[in-house]
Amino acid sequence: MFWDQAAETRERAALAALQLGRLRETVGRCAECVPFYRQQLAETGVGAETLRTLDDVRRLPFTTSADLRANYPDGLLAIDRRRVSRLHTSSGTTGKPKALFFSKADIDTAADLMARCLVMTGARPGDVLQNMMTYGLFTGALMMHYGAEKVGLMVIPAGPGNSERQLLLMQDFRSTLIHATPSYALYFAGFLAKRGIDPHRDLALRKAYVGAEPHTEETRRKIEAALGIDVYNSYGLSEMNGPGVAFECEAKAGMHLWEDNFLLEIIDPATGKPLPDGERGELVLTTLAREAMPLLRYRTRDITAVIPEPCRCGRTHRRLERIAGRSDDMLIIRGVNVYPQQIERVLMACPGVGHNYLITLEGLDEMIVQVELAEGGFDGQVEHLVRLQSQLTERLRAEILVKPKVELVPPGALPFSEGKAKRVVDRRVL
Ligand code: DLL
């Protein structure tokens, strides 16, 4: 089933023509309405009329999150203030937030792309979506909310946290779909186990949409097994609408990126050079149909690759691999590059391991991995704990080439955040 079959299955040649037309229009509007871009485009000598093929996008300058911060609050706004209908922000790790503006048409387009995503996974009117993302300046909950209402789903704007209340809502209103961060979905699965709830018997859940933070295939499987549902990966970023940029279809084999709205490139993060389909690098996105705040070649910092093969669902928009991490998430430990996702993969694949973990770096490159045991996972036999601990240490060492100190802790012992999970605490002395 499709939300917009013509758009979702548009032939590649027609899609490319549409992209080129929209790219020219976007560049023209940037030059006309945004002084920051006017200057940049003038310096590089590129204008809408000089873009002959899609590859010419490479002649445009990159935009970075530092540019967004430097132009805070409204230096990148391309329309009159009176036509802005929504502000979102994205905080990131340091300094001023990024301000993101949306016109009425932008919100409608974002909702429409979200609707494509939902219908693509089999959501239908009659479904009840419990939206466990944070409502507010964060795009996560609201953009999903608008898309779900467009499809005709009943939405419960639950927000995150308060698992008792989530369960009550879920039972009383027979929620069939949930939208959550993967860390909250995992945490909630642990909460249900503790409460003795059998999702199959006691709940009506069918699917979960998880995103907003990196997570591994092992985490997906763990949530699917614990809740007995299908879990779909949802990718997006505030700078590009929030959720609904790329989403898995029923095949669950990569996320279709809506190429009629975003022009994608994969580059080598170190050199900025383009990489071919199938090769992993940094995702760079250009908005193709945004009114309030068009962005040219935005460096997402997210590491992924394009899956070039056509998808069996019939959609022609290319798929992205699961995000492997952010280029700025990489840890360097004793000279070795380590991504937190590598650690998560090992932990979540290991029986006996629970739903939360924390990586702490101390002293001179000391790594401590604290991990919760599964609910009911400790049978009182200390030797079983010792075995699990040494098994995890060995598997981690094989994966990341650094030997961490593994600490097993009881279920629920580690801090849990309602927003995006904080997986790494770096207390190293520099
Ligand atoms: O997290 C938008 C969103 C909300 C996406 C809900 C999906 C679901 P930001 O707060 O701006 O926006 O954070 C964007 O989060 O650049 C990635 O690093 C990360 N991220 C988002 N989705 C995924 C995902 C929202 N599925 C940043 N896998 C992005 C891995 C993700 N990382």
Side-chain angles (χ1 to χ4, degrees), residues 399-425:
E399 170 71 31
I400 62 177
L401 311 177
V402 168
K403 188 174 174 188
K405 187 170 159 213
V406 174
E407 288 177 11
L408 301 174
V409 302
L414 293 175
F416 179 74
S417 106
E418 283 186 0
K420 300 191 187 226
K422 187 159 172 47
R423 299 297 196 191
V424 180
V425 176

Side-chain angles (χ1 to χ4, degrees), residues 90 138 140 212-214 233-238 302 323 326 420:
S90 170
F138 176 52
E213 59 190 21
N233 193 0
S234 151
Y235 170 77
L237 59 163
S238 315
D302 293 320
I323 307 294
R326 290 179 60 82
K420 300 191 187 226

Side-chain angles (χ1 to χ4, degrees), residues 66-376:
D67 294 326
L68 261 67
R69 291 207 168 84
N71 286 283
Y72 179 89
D74 58 4
L76 292 176
L77 183 59
I79 57 171
D80 190 285
R81 258 314 243 284
R82 283 167 298 191
R83 288 190 52 225
V84 175
S85 66
R86 175 94 64 81
L87 170 76
H88 281 286
T89 66
S90 170
S91 44
T93 42
T94 49
K96 288 251 171 74
K98 291 169 256 178
L100 294 319
F101 297 99
F102 297 84
S103 68
K104 202 161 182 303
D106 291 335
I107 298 283
D108 197 54
T109 306
D112 211 59
L113 297 183
M114 201 68 244
R116 287 188 194 174
C117 300
L118 288 165
V119 171
M120 168 164 86
T121 66
R124 298 285 179 275
D127 272 315
V128 177
L129 174 81
Q130 191 158 329
N131 196 353
M132 298 167 148
M133 285 279 177
T134 303
Y135 277 81
L137 285 167
F138 176 52
T139 49
L142 278 169
M143 291 306 188
M144 171 58 94
H145 188 115
Y146 277 57
E149 285 189 346
K150 205 165 208 187
V151 174
L153 313 184
M154 169 174 149
V155 185
I156 305 179
N162 198 341
S163 300
E164 282 294 347
R165 191 183 59 187
Q166 300 282 7
L167 175 58
L168 193 79
L169 290 167
M170 201 170 273
Q171 286 178 315
D172 292 349
F173 301 99
R174 309 299 293 159
S175 307
T176 53
L177 314 170
I178 56 176
H179 180 219
T181 57
S183 53
Y184 186 67
L186 261 184
Y187 176 87
F188 187 69
F191 166 82
L192 293 183
K194 191 150 75 195
R195 288 286 314 273
I197 303 278
D198 173 352
H200 254 309
R201 189 190 59 207
D202 306 324
L203 303 173
L205 287 185
R206 291 193 301 123
K207 298 171 200 293
Y209 306 117
V210 302
E213 59 190 21
H215 58 291
T216 56
E217 186 61 39
E218 287 71 15
T219 293
R220 182 227 296 268
R221 286 206 205 107
K222 196 153 178 146
I223 303 170
E224 289 190 323
L227 297 179
I229 59 177
D230 281 310
V231 173
Y232 297 88
N233 193 0
S234 151
Y235 170 77
L237 59 163
S238 315
E239 296 86 326
M240 302 283 141
N241 295 353
V245 174
F247 216 87
E248 283 181 332
C249 64
E250 278 178 305
K252 294 197 285 189
M255 302 176 285
H256 291 280
L257 183 126
W258 300 123
E259 294 188 81
D260 49 353
N261 278 263
F262 306 102
L263 184 65
L264 86 89
E265 297 168 76
I266 302 285
I267 62 162
D268 177 330
T271 64
K273 292 266 160 15
L275 292 174
D277 280 3
E279 253 181 67
R280 224 179 240 186
E282 180 181 340
L283 176 67
V284 171
L285 294 172
T286 298
T287 63
L288 292 176
R290 270 251 292 253
E291 279 191 343
M293 204 170 153
L295 291 174
L296 304 179
R297 304 192 83 198
Y298 185 69
R299 296 204 44 172
T300 66
R301 301 269 163 215
D302 293 320
I303 305 294
T304 182
V306 168
I307 302 171
E309 294 78 30
C311 183
R312 63 176 157 90
C313 76
R315 285 173 187 81
T316 47
H317 301 245
R318 285 176 300 169
R319 290 166 293 161
L320 296 181
E321 268 183 7
R322 177 179 293 283
I323 307 294
R326 290 179 60 82
S327 55
D328 39 14
D329 268 357
M330 190 182 76
L331 308 167
I332 302 181
I333 296 158
R334 287 170 232 159
V336 182
N337 299 348
V338 176
Y339 281 100
Q341 281 69 44
Q342 292 176 276
I343 296 173
E344 177 177 306
R345 203 177 306 136
V346 171
L347 299 178
M348 292 301 139
C350 192
V353 163
H355 298 106
N356 201 356
Y357 68 94
L358 184 68
I359 303 162
T360 305
L361 304 171
E362 280 184 353
L364 295 169
D365 279 355
E366 213 57 58
M367 181 192 270
I368 300 148
V369 177
Q370 289 173 297
V371 55
E372 288 183 6
L373 289 166
E375 197 59 49

